[in-house]
Amino acid sequence: MSICILFPTATEARQFQHPGVDTVISGVGLTATAYATLKVIREQRPALLILAGIAGMYPQAGLAIGEVVLVSSEVEGDLGFFTPQGFTHLAQLPLEMAFERRHTLHCPHLPAASTLRRARSLSLNAALAPFVDSSEVEIENMEGAAFFHVCQQENVPFIELRAISNVVQPGHDDWDMDGAVSALHAALQQLLAQLPAENA
């Protein structure tokens, strides 16, 4: 069985290698990630897909820069409308239209043996958006919700791994990109070693 790891950027994939594991640069943002995820599934039919990258942490999260987390859920946080009461997520708007009301997407494939903390995430095309509801999540990224949705629709097992590089706060420019990427790669190697032999 095969494993493929999607990295949003070449920076996040920098020098990562593991025997028998394919890597793909999927692109930044929800649209690029949806396309890349589906393309990998249709062309490679992997037994497991992993999305691996950096993320920002919300101030209330209780995480640390350089920490690596497994993502347990994703919300496409900026999908919705601005109303007189403020921003409202599309799934919570009383629209008289027939459509799938998709809000929180969960990952049922998290490895039980992993000691990594689990985190809930918002995916946004508009990073650091001040209008989204971040009260029930810990981290922010720009790809995860699309990845979760496509994998669920295609019935492909998936895992998302994120290394914390910064605080989600406008004007807070204290990023540790290199440290986060190094921590991400170490956690990936550990995760791959813990997967069942037929998947590693």
Side-chain angles (χ1 to χ4, degrees), residues 121-132:
S121 180
L122 279 185
S123 292
L124 308 169
N125 275 318
L128 307 177
F131 56 84
V132 297

Side-chain angles (χ1 to χ4, degrees), residues 102-192:
R102 184 176 71 251
H103 189 263
T104 305
L105 304 172
H106 297 278
C107 178
H109 309 288
L110 298 177
S114 176
T115 58
L116 294 172
R117 258 179 90 172
R118 299 181 180 193
R120 300 164 297 175
S121 180
L122 279 185
S123 292
L124 308 169
N125 275 318
L128 307 177
F131 56 84
V132 297
D133 179 9
S134 61
S135 61
E136 296 187 4
V137 298
E138 289 80 41
I139 67 169
E140 170 185 296
N141 73 81
M142 303 182 82
E143 298 84 22
F147 175 74
F148 272 43
H149 180 63
V150 173
C151 289
Q152 288 179 354
Q153 294 299 304
E154 294 293 311
N155 295 311
V156 174
F158 62 95
I159 297 171
E160 182 180 2
L161 204 63
R162 292 285 175 173
I164 306 304
S165 59
N166 61 289
V167 177
V168 180
Q169 202 168 46
H172 194 290
D173 298 323
D174 186 19
W175 287 52
D176 184 2
M177 188 86 67
D178 290 340
V181 170
S182 294
L184 178 69
H185 288 196
L188 273 171
Q189 297 288 354
Q190 180 184 44
L191 176 68
L192 292 167

Side-chain angles (χ1 to χ4, degrees), residues 22-85:
D22 294 325
T23 60
V24 170
I25 307 302
S26 56
V28 174
L30 296 165
T31 304
T33 301
Y35 171 72
T37 303
L38 186 59
K39 188 171 188 285
V40 166
I41 291 171
R42 295 290 171 87
E43 292 182 357
Q44 299 186 25
R45 300 308 305 181
L48 176 67
L49 267 176
I50 299 173
L51 176 61
I54 62 171
M57 64 175 179
Y58 288 102
Q60 77 278 6
L63 297 169
I65 290 178
E67 188 170 355
V68 182
V69 296
L70 286 166
V71 180
S72 60
S73 65
E74 284 281 4
V75 177
E76 191 173 346
D78 51 3
L79 178 65
F81 284 74
F82 284 94
T83 72
Q85 292 73 42

